[in-house]
């Protein structure tokens, strides 16, 4: 029997940022989505956009995290949890193992901003079943949202 996996809200004074990226190898385009929710699960903001020249799916996933971080910084969140369904990205943002990879500069940029602009942060892996709204927004971005949009 499969385990039922549901989205879990963050603790009080924390914001959960679910992020996702989408990628088309045919067009080398990507999309990203980010959803911010509070400890009661209430939606604060959701954004989506396109990645016009994505190298691969991990590039789109990383772009989504950078956009979510920028959104959180702009709104003024202090404590954030970045939730991604990409295990490689979670590892890249919580260790130095990927710092010298092709996308290493983006990983280092994200880690620098997280360390310097927020009171506290965590980066968590979540199953896709817990990331559906961000996944849908990433698909919207891939379908052609040309610029960053709040939705």
């Amino acid at each position: 029997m499969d385990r039922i996996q549901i989205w879990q809200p963050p603790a009080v004074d924390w914001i959960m940022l679910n992020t996702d990226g989408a990628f088309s190898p045919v067009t080398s385009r990507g999309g990203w989505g980010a959803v911010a929710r509070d400890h009661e699960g209430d939606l604060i903001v959701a954004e989506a956009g396109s990645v016009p020249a994505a190298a691969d799916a991990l590039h789109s996933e990383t772009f989504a995290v950078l956009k979510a971080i920028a959104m959180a910084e702009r709104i003024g969140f202090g404590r954030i949890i970045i939730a991604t369904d990409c295990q490689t990205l979670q590892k890249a943002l919580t260790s130095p193992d990927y710092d010298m990879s092709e996308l290493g500069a983006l990983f280092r940029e994200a880690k620098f901003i997280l360390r310097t602009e927020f009171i506290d942060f965590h980066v968590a892996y979540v199953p896709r079943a817990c990331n559906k709204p961000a996944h849908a927004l990433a698909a919207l971005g891939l379908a052609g949202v040309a610029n960053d949009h709040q939705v």
Side-chain angles (χ1 to χ4, degrees):
M1 183 172 179
D2 290 335
R3 267 188 1 218
I4 297 173
Q5 299 172 333
I6 59 171
W7 183 87
Q8 296 291 319
V12 174
D13 294 331
W14 285 78
I15 301 298
M16 176 79 70
L17 297 172
N18 287 84
T19 67
D20 202 13
F23 175 70
S24 169
V26 175
T27 63
S28 294
R29 292 178 45 87
W32 64 271
V35 178
R37 292 186 276 189
D38 66 14
H39 68 279
E40 293 181 345
D42 291 334
L43 177 68
I44 299 169
V45 64
E47 294 186 359
S50 64
V51 184
D56 55 25
L58 182 58
H59 188 188
S60 292
E61 295 276 359
T62 306
F63 199 85
V65 165
L66 287 167
K67 289 295 194 174
I69 291 169
M71 176 179 70
E73 195 176 8
R74 183 178 69 246
I75 294 171
F77 300 148
R79 294 176 176 84
I80 62 170
I81 300 169
I82 302 286
T84 176
D85 60 13
C86 178
Q87 289 181 328
T88 302
L89 181 58
Q90 189 270 338
K91 289 176 186 173
L93 295 176
T94 57
S95 76
D97 295 349
Y98 294 84
D99 285 358
M100 300 309 289
S101 70
E102 186 175 317
L103 296 173
L106 296 178
F107 302 143
R108 291 189 309 274
E109 177 184 355
K111 290 188 280 191
F112 177 79
I113 296 168
L114 288 168
R115 282 191 310 266
T116 60
E117 299 299 325
F118 297 94
I119 296 166
D120 202 358
F121 71 93
H122 297 289
V123 181
Y125 167 77
V126 296
R128 178 163 292 174
C130 299
N131 214 33
K132 288 181 180 179
H135 181 76
L137 290 171
L140 179 66
L142 181 61
V145 174
N147 298 310
D148 304 349
H149 283 66
Q150 282 191 2
V151 289

